[in-house]
Amino acid sequence: MIEIQNLSKIYKTKNGEVNGVDNVTLSVEKGEIYGIVGYSGAGKSSLLRCINLLERPTSGHLTVDGVDLTVLRGEPLRLARLKIGMIFQHFYLISQKTVYENIAFALKAAKVPAKERIDRVEKLLEMVGLSDKRDVYPSQLSGGQKQRVAIARALANNPKVLLCDEATSALDPTTTKSILNLLKKINQELKITIVLITHEMNVVKEICNRMAIMQEGRVVEEGAVYNIFASPKTELAKEFIASVVSYDIPETIANSCEGPLVKVTFRGKVAGEGVISDTLQQYQVKGNFLHGSIEYIQDLPLGIFVMELKGAKEEIKQALKYIEERDAQVEVLRDGV
């Protein structure tokens, strides 16, 4: 659905040129929810704005639904943009217009006939759960309701792609969850491809199929969300994941352990099986659990446990080999003292 090839965006400032997006190549498949993660200044918003050419790339190519947008100008570009909806962190609703009028405005701008506008807005209000707010003004809405209006407006012209620029950053956790559930519903029912940028890994964990992590304008890690959570390759990915799932052991506890400290990661259905208990029964090894839980990412379990092992070195070695043979990932955090 979206193909980005060697895309760069250079900004000219008083202090020289700045690479907002630096030679990015990635693809987003039709119908998936794709997350782009990074800290402020990483280039994720610049990349998103390049996808609908709110920012024109300095170099590279961007293809959406088979059309290279970078070669379009004027009316062809305007028509192509109608198939790309966008929502923002701060909603950008027109305060002097009602909920109905805010949504209808996008249709009027696209020159949709009046009767079609009425039918379309009513259906969108029902989809986002705001039929009872049809004639109220934005000032009378909560943050979550404002974002629902913005989503309805973005969907007005039946886009094939929905871009979300920090769409939940201004919302409280409960409202964030409701908006993410709405986006999942839209994705599933309308088959719309969603690209979502955020600095919150909880959002990615909740809703995204695949993701890219950006730093200084570049993509430093990319892949399935589950795989990145299970086995992050970069320090930045590990840092982001630690903000959601932390397995740090207090130094005083770690220093009191005599045996080696190991981290065991179980993927998929094996996460719910008793591999560790089986291991401790089969080998002359005792396990002291220090931390652990099973996370669910896109409904798939991911089990991560940190424990101290006590026993003869050869027995511990054989026990860890047994665990690895059952499709678990073992990382020795510290050898025994």
Side-chain angles (χ1 to χ4, degrees), residues 258-275:
E258 298 178 356
L261 294 182
V262 297
K263 176 185 174 184
V264 183
T265 303
F266 296 101
R267 300 168 58 121
K269 65 178 183 179
V270 74
E273 298 175 356
V275 175

Side-chain angles (χ1 to χ4, degrees), residues 286-316:
K286 292 183 178 180
N288 178 21
F289 286 88
L290 303 176
H291 213 317
S293 70
I294 296 179
E295 298 289 329
Y296 289 89
I297 302 168
Q298 297 295 305
D299 297 327
L300 289 174
L302 176 67
I304 304 178
F305 301 89
V306 178
M307 59 183 178
E308 174 194 14
L309 294 179
K310 293 182 178 181
K313 286 186 177 181
E314 187 59 32
E315 284 290 309
I316 291 176

Side-chain angles (χ1 to χ4, degrees), residues 37-39 42 201 213-216 218-221 228 232-243:
V37 181
Y39 291 121
M201 284 296 281
I213 298 177
M214 292 189 70
Q215 184 177 37
E216 296 179 349
R218 301 184 183 93
V219 172
V220 297
E221 191 159 352
I228 289 178
K233 301 295 188 297
T234 63
E235 289 303 315
L236 183 60
K238 293 176 183 177
E239 187 176 319
F240 271 114
I241 291 168
S243 69

Side-chain angles (χ1 to χ4, degrees), residues 153-168:
R153 181 182 59 190
L155 297 176
N157 289 300
N158 293 306
K160 294 184 177 180
V161 175
L162 179 62
L163 307 180
C164 306
D165 190 356
E166 298 279 10
T168 60

Side-chain angles (χ1 to χ4, degrees), residues 108-133:
K108 188 175 181 180
K111 301 178 181 178
V112 175
K115 186 177 185 310
E116 290 183 32
R117 292 203 299 265
I118 295 171
D119 293 341
R120 180 67 178 153
V121 174
E122 295 293 350
K123 289 178 181 177
L124 288 167
L125 285 171
E126 183 178 352
M127 169 165 278
V128 301
L130 289 178
S131 294
D132 62 330
K133 303 295 183 182

Side-chain angles (χ1 to χ4, degrees), residues 92-203:
Y92 297 118
L93 302 179
I94 304 171
S95 60
Q96 296 85 5
K97 292 184 180 291
T98 65
V99 166
Y100 174 91
E101 291 168 335
N102 266 277
I103 300 169
F105 182 79
L107 293 164
K108 188 175 181 180
K111 301 178 181 178
V112 175
K115 186 177 185 310
E116 290 183 32
R117 292 203 299 265
I118 295 171
D119 293 341
R120 180 67 178 153
V121 174
E122 295 293 350
K123 289 178 181 177
L124 288 167
L125 285 171
E126 183 178 352
M127 169 165 278
V128 301
L130 289 178
S131 294
D132 62 330
K133 303 295 183 182
R134 182 186 190 280
D135 298 316
V136 306
Y137 290 87
S139 61
Q140 298 170 274
L141 300 175
S142 67
Q145 290 170 334
K146 289 177 183 177
Q147 193 59 284
R148 286 173 181 269
V149 176
I151 291 171
R153 181 182 59 190
L155 297 176
N157 289 300
N158 293 306
K160 294 184 177 180
V161 175
L162 179 62
L163 307 180
C164 306
D165 190 356
E166 298 279 10
T168 60
S169 295
L171 306 176
D172 62 75
T174 300
T175 306
T176 290
K177 189 170 183 64
S178 72
I179 293 297
L180 294 180
N181 286 336
L182 175 59
L183 290 175
K184 282 196 283 188
K185 174 185 174 183
I186 290 167
N187 171 253
Q188 292 165 4
E189 294 184 4
L190 303 182
K191 310 302 180 186
I192 291 178
T193 303
I194 296 177
V195 180
L196 183 151
I197 70 165
T198 183
H199 60 272
E200 300 171 288
M201 284 296 281
N202 262 325
V203 169

Side-chain angles (χ1 to χ4, degrees), residues 3-11 17-25 46-47 50-51 53 55-63 68-71 73 217:
E3 294 290 338
I4 299 172
Q5 297 179 323
N6 306 117
L7 199 76
S8 293
K9 174 62 182 178
I10 298 175
Y11 295 97
E17 295 184 341
V18 175
N19 280 329
V21 180
D22 190 359
N23 197 35
V24 167
T25 295
S46 293
L47 178 60
C50 283
I51 292 177
L53 261 67
E55 297 277 4
R56 183 166 286 277
T58 305
S59 60
H61 290 276
L62 173 72
T63 302
D68 187 347
L69 300 188
T70 58
V71 302
R73 296 287 194 284

